Amino acid sequence: MYSYVARQPILDLKKNTIGYELLFRDGPKNTFPAIEAEEATSRLLSDHFLSSQCNATNDKLGFVNFPQQSLINLVPTLFNSNNLVVEILEDCIPNQELLNAIKILSKSGYKLALDDFEPSPEWTPFLPYIDIIKFDIRTIPILKAKLFIRHCEKYNISFLAEKVESYEEFEEAKAAGFIYFQGYFFSKPEMLQQRAMQPNQLSIMKLYQEISAPSVDFQAVEKYLIQDVSLSYKLLRFVNSSSIIDQPISSFKQALVYLGETKLRQFVSLVAIAHATEHKPQSLYTLSVHRAKLCELIVTKTNINLEPSQAFLVGLFSLLEPLLDQPLNSLIQYLPISTEIKLALTERKGALGKLILAIESYEKANWTMVSKCCAILKITEEEFSTCYNESAEWVDEMAN
């Protein structure tokens, strides 16, 4: 299963790329999908800001369309304000509810843009909170836009010309007061493809039930999260990208405490919407959970001086590379995990690394390596086998 995004560069006066507009696509053809705007935005955000590495913008600004309800629900606050430009769609209704949301987003440091803007008095109360206004120069003539730009000199607003298709239009737009530009003159939208991680639907439904309760049961939420490597990975990516941590996360319970009820509800809701109709191959995910439980059992039932929660996390993420078809080094640099865990995953170093190596060797029937790893970990091969069988039974029970 793959996810797709089209991106089109946005340039400044010197033709330097300052960001990309990101557009959801549901297949390799560069055409808009036949789905609702809310779902398109949710899947774009989930697949390219919460999954694998966020490379769609090359660390530049990402301009993302947000429909009315997403803005009112403050969905943008799920993501780091440093690299996101919130585009308010042209069909949004400029009512008081939307204005209240825009004020909150502006105060929280988010860059706000009016997309495909057509001047009208109803939008005047919004202008003090807007950073960028985008004019489609195929719809709004540059001369008319110029008059509005002069009218807005009292505001701290930058103007972006969309659908610039010639050098003459570029020069005319510059003279009118535009400082950002987007269009076929510079580049057509480029398609990007990456392996998509799809959460297990049962896990999502159970999580949805939990977050719908008046008071969230964090213990129950953790239980369902650890059953799905996709959700677990996206959770840690989200915690990291939200800039709400001051030290590496070593357990999912710790991540949930950092989030709190409000952001946890937002996170689960976003992922649930994004993948309401998606499916995923089960075998690698099942193996990931098996490894995670096995690591936890070995640490719990032997004299290895390791944290069970860290061991579980290492086992769970040990198969991220084949799951996402991307280098593990690239994937984990975005996770708020300790150096010890990163070295275990990438180089099989330390006790955690040897634990994963023992499990991989056991799966391949490389008994010599299993024996060596057990000796290093100071556990018996019998203890290892017992834990392996118990973890397999646990996975079967969970699946049932």
Side-chain angles (χ1 to χ4, degrees):
M1 181 73 69
Y2 290 90
S3 63
Y4 303 87
V5 64
R7 70 175 188 181
Q8 189 173 30
I10 293 170
L11 299 91
D12 62 14
L13 290 165
K14 296 181 179 180
K15 298 183 183 178
N16 296 316
T17 300
I18 60 102
Y20 296 88
E21 180 167 16
L22 303 180
L23 302 165
F24 176 75
R25 298 292 184 257
D26 60 356
K29 292 183 178 180
N30 195 356
T31 56
F32 188 79
I35 62 175
E36 293 294 326
E38 292 284 351
E39 182 183 351
T41 296
S42 295
R43 288 175 63 179
L44 170 67
L45 293 169
S46 181
D47 287 341
H48 294 276
F49 283 85
L50 294 180
S51 288
S52 71
Q53 61 193 56
C54 179
N55 60 359
T57 62
N58 293 334
D59 297 324
K60 300 183 185 299
L61 293 172
F63 289 66
V64 177
N65 295 328
F66 284 86
Q68 180 119 0
Q69 198 58 47
S70 292
L71 293 167
I72 292 171
N73 291 342
L74 300 177
V75 169
T77 60
L78 287 168
F79 305 93
N80 197 317
S81 62
N82 293 333
N83 63 348
L84 176 66
V85 177
V86 177
E87 291 200 6
I88 304 163
L89 284 175
E90 65 275 12
D91 59 0
C92 286
I93 301 170
N95 55 24
Q96 187 61 46
E97 192 176 22
L98 181 62
L99 180 59
N100 292 340
I102 295 307
K103 287 180 178 179
I104 293 171
L105 292 171
S106 176
K107 188 177 180 180
S108 301
Y110 289 87
K111 299 176 183 67
L112 300 167
L114 290 173
D115 187 33
D116 288 342
F117 184 66
E118 294 189 17
S120 69
E122 291 83 0
W123 285 105
T124 301
F126 290 77
L127 297 182
Y129 310 100
I130 299 301
D131 300 282
I132 299 171
I133 289 180
K134 302 177 70 175
F135 278 112
D136 178 349
I137 63 171
R138 308 256 77 79
T139 303
I140 304 293
I142 292 177
L143 183 59
K144 182 179 178 180
K146 180 179 180 179
L147 295 174
F148 186 80
I149 291 172
R150 289 181 176 177
H151 174 71
C152 290
E153 287 179 350
K154 61 182 176 181
Y155 302 111
N156 187 27
I157 297 175
S158 301
F159 290 86
L160 187 156
E162 291 184 285
K163 298 186 179 177
V164 178
E165 296 183 0
S166 68
Y167 177 77
E168 290 75 18
E169 288 179 344
F170 175 51
E171 290 296 317
E172 189 180 350
K174 284 198 297 182
F178 288 96
I179 66 169
Y180 299 130
F181 311 89
Q182 181 181 358
Y184 283 9
F185 173 62
F186 308 102
S187 175
K188 294 183 179 181
E190 169 193 7
M191 282 293 293
L192 300 177
Q193 171 184 295
Q194 70 173 17
R195 175 75 70 169
M197 292 185 78
Q198 311 302 340
N200 179 281
Q201 294 307 300
L202 181 60
S203 298
I204 285 180
M205 293 309 297
K206 290 179 178 177
L207 279 169
Y208 234 153
Q209 291 175 350
E210 293 297 333
I211 66 167
S212 297
S215 179
V216 175
D217 183 343
F218 282 85
Q219 188 171 356
V221 170
E222 182 188 20
K223 170 188 171 184
Y224 297 130
L225 277 172
I226 65 176
Q227 293 177 10
D228 193 290
V229 65
S230 171
L231 287 170
S232 304
Y233 180 75
K234 289 184 178 186
L235 172 70
L236 291 188
R237 279 295 313 280
F238 171 49
V239 172
N240 190 38
S241 66
S242 298
S243 300
I244 57 177
I245 64 165
D246 53 13
Q247 61 185 8
I249 297 296
S250 60
S251 72
F252 297 115
K253 186 176 293 183
Q254 187 182 3
L256 294 174
V257 170
Y258 272 111
L259 280 183
E261 289 193 9
T262 300
K263 285 194 175 293
L264 177 62
R265 286 190 171 101
Q266 290 178 321
F267 167 78
V268 174
S269 298
L270 176 76
V271 176
I273 292 171
H275 302 287
T277 59
E278 302 275 350
H279 301 282
K280 68 173 184 180
Q282 192 64 37
S283 56
L284 280 177
Y285 290 90
T286 301
L287 183 56
S288 295
V289 175
H290 185 186
R291 286 186 177 186
K293 188 62 177 179
L294 176 54
C295 287
E296 181 186 60
L297 280 176
I298 290 174
V299 169
T300 303
K301 296 197 169 190
T302 65
N303 293 321
I304 301 177
N305 188 24
L306 293 171
E307 284 292 328
S309 60
Q310 287 191 331
F312 189 98
L313 192 147
V314 167
L316 192 66
F317 288 163
S318 63
L319 287 168
L320 278 181
E321 188 166 278
L323 281 168
L324 288 182
D325 287 341
Q326 294 185 40
L328 186 60
N329 276 318
S330 299
L331 292 169
I332 65 170
Q333 67 175 308
Y334 295 96
L335 292 178
I337 53 179
S338 66
T339 302
E340 181 185 8
I341 293 176
K342 289 182 179 179
L343 289 174
L345 289 170
T346 56
E347 302 179 30
R348 300 299 184 257
K349 285 188 175 180
L352 288 171
K354 293 300 180 287
L355 191 55
I356 287 296
L357 182 58
I359 293 171
E360 292 172 328
S361 302
Y362 194 94
E363 292 167 353
K364 297 173 183 176
N366 184 346
W367 310 123
T368 301
M369 182 57 68
V370 172
S371 180
K372 287 181 180 179
C373 291
C374 286
I376 294 172
L377 294 168
K378 297 180 180 179
I379 62 174
T380 67
E381 293 173 46
E382 289 75 20
E383 286 176 322
F384 187 97
S385 296
T386 299
C387 290
Y388 187 93
N389 292 332
E390 286 186 25
S391 61
E393 291 174 3
W394 180 84
V395 171
D396 288 339
E397 291 175 4
M398 186 188 72
N400 293 329

